[in-house]
Amino acid sequence: MKKLFVLSLALGLSTIALSQNNKTITVSNPSASTRMELVSIPYATFEKHFDLKGGVFTIVDKDQKELAYQLEKLGKTTAQNVLIQIAIPPKSSLTFGVNGNKPTAFESKTYARYIPERKDDFAWENDIAAFRAYGKALEGSSEDAQGFDFWAKRTNDLVIDEWYKTGDYHADHGKGLDYYSVGQTLGVGDATPFFGEEVVYHKHYRQYEVLDNGPLRTTFKLIHEPERVKGQQLQVEKTISLDAGSQLNKISYSVKNTTSGSTPVVVGIAKRKEEKPQVLNDEKNGILAYWEPAEGDKITGTAVILPDVKYVFKDSPKQFLLATTVKNDKPLVYFAGAAFNKAGKITNFDQWQSYVKTFRNNLDQPLTIKYSK
């Protein structure tokens, strides 16, 4: 399991000032929901505000409890942002400062890697969910599938390395299992071109680039080779971020079309065979949430959120689709993910709808940041 030096434990030193230079930052929650999420502050702004020296610091709240943080590099050699994990009740604020102490080590909550030992899979996870994308070696084989896969975890442990090492992840030994079926669908919120009312799957990714790998946010790119699709020359890149504690990935789907200025695409989630599916289709708010039929005692909920995007909902036999258009210079940014009932956090459709609706609402009411003078 990967470990990095960040913060998690209380200092217990009430005599230490909130900040070494008496400056603080206050984060406020304008929404009516309790928020556990990452706050992103440009590193240059953070460094200047606190007059940091040497790059070693601890972030503490007013009770001298350390706040977990990550220096996000976004594939560059130096820190671009400070990501701080905070919990804030509704309509309230959290004030924090820094000191020059060495931060406490804690276990990473997010992780991703290329899996050459399993036919070019690329897998990623956080403390509550895991996903994977299929690579070149699987393409055209009898096992071939198309969209994003979901691993139904029921542990806060990171399991990717363990499960791939044993190869025994289709049975639940206490931490969950892989039982989700992708097949010839977009699985859990993948996207692909859509020409003439036809879902056209491009080839699997050929290259990857890990931009950040935890401990609180993992971000990576999946790069597809240029290919001709229905007479148009396309190249696709997907940038995916997963935060600690989140059921949903943030996905940026970029298409470079040298034949046209825009490309019709669909985002989808796999559909099961049932007479009356439990599905929420809220086009006004860009929400599609699905609670799958039970397989024994196992149930998966899946969802896609397309905020501020015009699209058309299509109910096809194998999957629910959201059809839209991607311009060459403007990637489609959306959210997609899943939940497993046996993880104990979300156990029914009402809870899944509530989670997704709250997530969507929070996008419109971001946490605000105020710097003390």
Side-chain angles (χ1 to χ4, degrees):
M1 187 172 291
K2 311 297 180 186
K3 295 187 179 182
L4 291 179
F5 284 97
V6 291
L7 329 157
S8 62
L9 303 177
L11 288 174
L13 303 176
S14 58
T15 59
I16 297 178
L18 179 61
S19 184
Q20 58 188 9
N21 59 4
N22 294 322
K23 291 187 176 181
T24 60
I25 292 178
T26 298
V27 178
S28 298
N29 175 11
S31 72
S33 60
T34 298
R35 309 278 281 270
M36 168 64 83
E37 59 188 76
L38 302 188
V39 173
S40 178
I41 300 172
Y43 183 77
T45 302
F46 189 90
E47 183 181 47
K48 181 178 180 180
H49 181 69
F50 287 114
D51 191 25
L52 298 179
K53 305 294 183 183
V56 177
F57 61 91
T58 292
I59 303 175
V60 294
D61 66 14
K62 62 182 180 61
D63 297 318
Q64 294 301 318
K65 291 183 179 179
E66 294 184 56
L67 301 178
Y69 76 85
Q70 173 182 332
L71 298 182
E72 184 181 38
K73 294 185 176 181
L74 296 175
K76 302 183 186 301
T77 57
T78 58
Q80 303 299 300
N81 299 298
V82 181
L83 305 177
I84 308 169
Q85 187 176 47
I86 59 173
I88 307 184
K91 306 291 184 179
S92 62
S93 299
L94 170 69
T95 298
F96 61 83
V98 302
N99 61 46
N101 293 346
K102 184 178 180 179
T104 305
F106 89 118
E107 293 179 341
S108 289
K109 296 182 179 181
T110 66
Y111 177 53
R113 78 171 175 93
Y114 168 58
I115 317 291
E117 66 269 32
R118 219 305 292 198
K119 297 186 177 181
D120 296 335
D121 283 358
F122 192 95
W124 67 100
E125 64 179 317
N126 63 8
D127 47 341
I128 57 175
F131 305 88
R132 67 172 164 178
Y134 301 116
K136 181 179 179 180
L138 197 72
E139 201 168 79
S141 72
S142 60
E143 301 175 85
D144 198 9
Q146 297 298 334
F148 294 144
D149 191 18
F150 170 62
W151 279 5
K153 285 173 53 171
R154 56 187 185 102
T155 177
N156 295 130
D157 296 341
L158 300 182
V159 301
I160 284 174
D161 286 345
E162 175 187 341
W163 287 10
Y164 274 113
K165 183 177 181 179
T166 66
D168 184 15
Y169 47 81
H170 291 102
D172 189 345
H173 300 291
K175 293 185 176 182
L177 75 164
D178 171 25
Y179 85 101
Y180 185 83
S181 177
V182 176
Q184 297 303 301
T185 76
L186 290 166
V188 183
D190 202 355
T192 199
F194 186 64
F195 289 106
E197 296 296 306
E198 179 186 355
V199 177
V200 184
Y201 298 109
H202 42 58
K203 295 178 181 178
H204 298 329
Y205 83 93
R206 293 297 192 261
Q207 296 175 282
Y208 69 91
E209 182 181 355
V210 178
L211 306 180
D212 287 283
N213 209 355
L216 297 174
R217 173 180 291 166
T218 287
T219 302
F220 59 92
K221 285 185 179 182
L222 299 179
I223 303 167
H224 296 248
E225 68 180 7
E227 61 180 305
R228 197 155 188 83
V229 179
K230 296 294 184 178
Q232 300 194 27
Q233 190 68 24
L234 311 178
Q235 182 174 15
V236 170
E237 287 190 8
K238 304 168 187 174
T239 302
I240 301 170
S241 292
L242 182 61
D243 289 357
S246 178
Q247 305 285 161
L248 304 181
N249 300 279
K250 182 179 181 179
I251 302 169
S252 175
Y253 183 86
S254 173
V255 185
K256 182 179 180 181
N257 186 336
T258 59
T259 310
S260 174
S262 62
T263 305
V265 303
V266 283
V267 180
I269 53 178
K271 179 182 175 182
R272 309 307 174 193
K273 294 181 179 179
E274 55 194 311
E275 277 192 27
K276 295 182 179 180
Q278 295 188 82
V279 61
L280 168 66
N281 176 29
D282 180 357
E283 296 185 42
K284 179 181 178 181
N285 293 299
I287 295 173
L288 176 63
Y290 177 43
W291 192 248
E292 294 192 344
E295 292 190 25
D297 60 352
K298 301 184 294 295
I299 306 174
T300 292
T302 55
V304 170
I305 300 175
L306 268 66
D308 306 316
V309 176
K310 292 183 179 180
Y311 64 85
V312 176
F313 173 74
K314 296 180 180 295
D315 186 355
S316 71
K318 290 186 177 181
Q319 52 194 331
F320 301 107
L321 300 170
L322 306 180
T324 187
T325 301
V326 178
K327 295 181 179 179
N328 282 346
D329 59 350
K330 188 177 181 181
L332 174 66
V333 178
Y334 64 98
F335 299 84
F340 181 43
N341 70 314
K342 294 186 71 176
K345 180 180 177 182
I346 296 169
T347 60
N348 58 58
F349 188 38
D350 286 344
Q351 291 176 346
W352 185 226
Q353 290 183 83
S354 177
Y355 178 89
V356 177
K357 288 177 180 178
T358 298
F359 191 103
R360 175 65 183 92
N361 183 65
N362 289 346
L363 295 176
D364 286 337
Q365 300 186 76
L367 301 177
T368 62
I369 299 172
K370 182 179 180 180
Y371 301 89
S372 67
K373 297 182 180 180

